[in-house]
Each structure stands twice: as C-alpha cells, then as structure tokens.
Amino acid sequence: MIGSVQRAMRLLESVAEHEHGAPAKQLARETGLALPTAYHLLRTLVHEGYLRRDKGLFFLGEAAERLSSSGAEQKRRSTVVDALAHWRDLIGVPVYYAQYRDGEIEVLCVSDSPGNPAVEEWADFRETGHAHAIGQCLLAQLDDESRRDHLDRYPVQSITPYTVRDGHSLLRRLERTARMGPVIERQEYALGTVCAAIPITLGNAAATMAISLPAHQADRLMAATQQLQEEIGRLMGSLAISISI
C-alpha cells in the first residue's frame, strides 16, 4: 500500500465532512497526521484541484466534485441497468430504455439474454424512428413542430413491407396515439419481430421503455407490455431520477 495516497485520501474524507471548511490543524488532528505532513499533502491536493483554500480553511475542489458527480451518474445508470435486467428475467423479454435528446433518438440501455436476444440494429435506430416502436413512442410525445423537424431530417422510408408508407400517414397515426398508452409495432423495423414501447414521464423529456418478441410469440406481446407497465409503476418513484442517464 502507498502510505502517502492513504493519508491524502483520509484528508479528503475529513474535508468532505466539513461543509463550511476546516483549518489544517483540525484536519491533521482528525486524521492523526503530523501537522507538517498534513500541510504538505493539503498543498498538493490544492495544487491538483482536489481541494481549494479560502481564508485558511480547506474545502473540496472542482476535481473532487467532478469525481462525486461521475460516481453519482454511474450509480444512477447502475440502478437503470439493474431494473432492466430484473424485468428481462421476470417477463422473459429483452427490455430497452431510450430518450429523445437534442433532436435525436438515443437507445441508452438494452438488457437481453441468449434466450431472449435484442433486435439487431441493422438500420440506424436514430434514422428509422418512424419504423420502430421506440421511435414512434418518442415522436408521439413531441410537439408538432419538433415532430415535423425530426421527420424533415429523417424522412419516412420503407424498411420492410409493413413500414408506414409516408410522413402524412405516420403523423396521423402519432396524433391518434393515446397520450400514455403503449405503442405497438409489428414487423415494421425488422421482419419476424414485434415490439411495444411505453411512454415514460420525465418532466419535459420524452422517454420510453420497450420490449420485443419474435413474431411467432406475438400473442404474448400485450400481456408482457401490461406486466412491464405495472412493474414500471411500482418502481417509478425510485427510478424518477435514475432514468435520466
């Protein structure tokens, strides 16, 4: 073990416990370090940005705050990953989480298994939102201007024989979509696959959880979708912050 690293970490932990800062003598006493050693390590941590000094008091610096922020983000992502894996095993389907961010469809997390593989992204999900349940669910949550802007950038095109044929038909379908109802798609993106996507309320952000099944198991789709809705409802309070990855 590297003793100087251990001592520096103890100082960081001690500073973190003092919201209003602490002087070097107090930090040395709390960590059991000789004052000259504490001063040397504190100066080094200030130089590297992990601490800052103001009027003789030491506070956490920007570098330490970035570490804290990154750790919190990783924890939130882990919560989402764990939830999707739980639902995958419980329902027996691949589970997807996606958001509409900065004008783009982003599939942020997918949980599948060898027995229940996810749909292969054979055509870019971002460019083919009109053809899959995830994209249709996200587009249905947008205002009319944002929706038309997206379709201007990514025009409707035939992906399979079942894909919606043109932008006007898609817009009419999206307008008829129930605000918080699931979006069902059958072989519009990938032949042999049926999908469902459930809208998620995230303030003003458009988000969705989705599932997919082989077409020969299409009779399971509605029951599996309802089960996912119920599971999301149970965990929505704890996931409200976590799902904004």
Side-chain angles (χ1 to χ4, degrees):
M1 305 295 287
I2 302 175
S4 59
V5 175
Q6 291 177 312
R7 291 189 287 272
M9 295 304 295
R10 290 206 300 271
L11 282 169
L12 280 173
E13 291 170 353
S14 185
V15 171
E17 293 175 358
H18 297 281
E19 181 181 354
H20 303 292
K25 288 183 179 180
Q26 181 179 356
L27 295 170
R29 184 171 61 253
E30 291 177 353
T31 54
L33 299 177
L35 187 56
T37 300
Y39 269 127
H40 174 71
L41 291 171
L42 288 168
R43 285 196 300 268
T44 301
L45 290 168
V46 169
H47 181 268
E48 296 299 324
Y50 290 97
L51 295 179
R52 62 181 176 86
R53 186 177 184 182
D54 184 22
K55 298 178 181 179
L57 301 178
F58 291 90
F59 302 82
L60 291 179
E62 291 184 2
E65 290 170 356
R66 285 197 299 272
L67 284 177
S68 176
S69 176
S70 297
E73 182 177 345
Q74 289 180 14
K75 185 175 181 179
R76 290 196 301 270
R77 183 175 181 85
S78 177
T79 299
V80 176
V81 170
D82 290 347
L84 265 63
H86 171 69
W87 295 333
R88 174 202 66 204
D89 295 339
L90 180 68
I91 306 173
V93 295
V95 186
Y96 311 74
Y97 172 63
Q99 282 188 24
Y100 194 83
R101 301 199 300 194
D102 300 323
E104 300 293 344
I105 292 168
E106 296 188 23
V107 178
L108 299 172
C109 189
V110 179
S111 186
D112 65 353
S113 64
N116 295 293
V119 176
E120 181 183 355
E121 187 179 358
W122 71 275
D124 193 324
F125 283 148
R126 293 170 300 177
E127 299 178 5
T128 57
H130 62 281
H132 50 72
I134 286 173
Q136 292 174 24
C137 186
L138 293 174
L139 291 173
Q141 296 176 61
L142 303 181
D143 58 48
D144 185 65
E145 181 180 354
S146 299
R147 195 179 296 158
R148 290 179 183 275
D149 172 73
H150 183 90
L151 295 177
D152 284 343
R153 290 181 288 117
Y154 300 116
V156 171
Q157 55 181 312
S158 293
I159 304 298
T160 77
Y162 302 97
T163 307
V164 63
R165 287 295 174 233
D166 56 69
H168 293 297
S169 300
L170 177 65
L171 288 171
R172 286 197 298 271
R173 179 195 295 184
L174 295 177
E175 289 168 358
R176 293 195 301 269
T177 301
R179 186 175 181 276
M180 295 308 295
V183 173
I184 306 299
E185 169 259 303
R186 302 177 187 275
Q187 303 191 83
E188 294 183 47
Y189 175 80
L191 292 175
T193 301
V194 295
C195 303
I198 299 165
I200 302 295
T201 301
L202 267 182
N204 294 325
T208 182
M209 297 280 186
I211 62 174
S212 62
L213 282 166
H216 69 269
Q217 296 182 30
D219 58 336
R220 291 185 54 209
L221 186 63
M222 294 310 298
T225 302
Q226 183 176 356
Q227 187 175 3
L228 179 61
Q229 283 181 300
E230 292 170 354
E231 291 297 321
I232 292 172
R234 290 192 186 98
L235 288 180
M236 200 59 217
S238 60
L239 283 176
I241 297 176
S242 299
I243 60 178
S244 49
I245 303 175

